[in-house]
Amino acid sequence: MFKDKIHGMLTSETKRIIQKFRDDMHHMLAICDLVLKHDMIALNPEMALGYYISTETLGGKKINVMTDCLTLTIFSDRLWVYGKTDALLSEGIMAEIFLWSQIKNKKATFIPNI
């Protein structure tokens, strides 16, 4: 098949990145489902804006992507951070937590397991 041919031409690093993205997307969908079950709306930038819009239309400039993410954080009533508490957080998540605590004067809720 054509798809298998293309997959065979990818480097092992590209395949690893694609798999990680698929795994992350699976987690994002599970997180959104959990949030909806609590009668809330998830404001995850990739889910709200779409990966393409949140990266490509912003010219691939990380500062613009982070600005959009932080703007969504300000609109939120609660900040839930999903993931392992013993792992190093990304700079984007750390910025969201810092902004949240400074502007909203509230603490983020950490949810270690999806």
Side-chain angles (χ1 to χ4, degrees):
M1 294 197 143
F2 186 68
K3 179 180 156 186
D4 294 333
K5 221 177 215 185
I6 291 173
H7 192 264
M9 296 183 330
L10 300 175
T11 66
S12 59
E13 178 64 12
T14 301
K15 289 176 185 175
R16 186 190 66 76
I17 291 168
I18 290 170
Q19 186 58 48
K20 183 177 179 342
F21 180 74
R22 284 182 183 155
D23 293 345
D24 289 347
M25 288 302 293
H26 174 73
H27 291 303
M28 282 191 276
L29 293 174
I31 290 168
C32 289
D33 185 53
L34 181 63
V35 170
L36 287 171
K37 287 179 181 172
H38 283 89
D39 294 326
M40 295 184 219
I41 299 170
L43 290 179
N44 175 296
E46 285 82 11
M47 296 300 288
L49 304 173
Y51 179 78
Y52 182 82
I53 291 173
S54 66
T55 56
E56 294 299 317
T57 62
L58 297 172
K61 296 179 182 169
K62 192 168 188 170
I63 192 72
N64 294 344
V65 174
M66 286 184 68
T67 299
D68 282 357
C69 292
L70 294 173
T71 301
L72 282 176
T73 301
I74 294 168
F75 288 127
S76 303
D77 294 324
R78 296 181 185 165
L79 180 62
W80 291 353
V81 179
Y82 288 84
K84 297 177 182 176
T85 56
D86 62 344
L88 182 63
L89 299 172
S90 71
E91 61 187 3
I93 293 172
M94 288 190 288
E96 289 173 342
I97 294 168
F98 179 76
L99 179 72
W100 174 261
S101 66
Q102 294 298 303
I103 291 179
K104 299 286 191 165
N105 198 26
K106 296 179 183 180
K107 292 184 178 181
T109 301
F110 285 83
I111 302 172
N113 297 314
I114 302 170

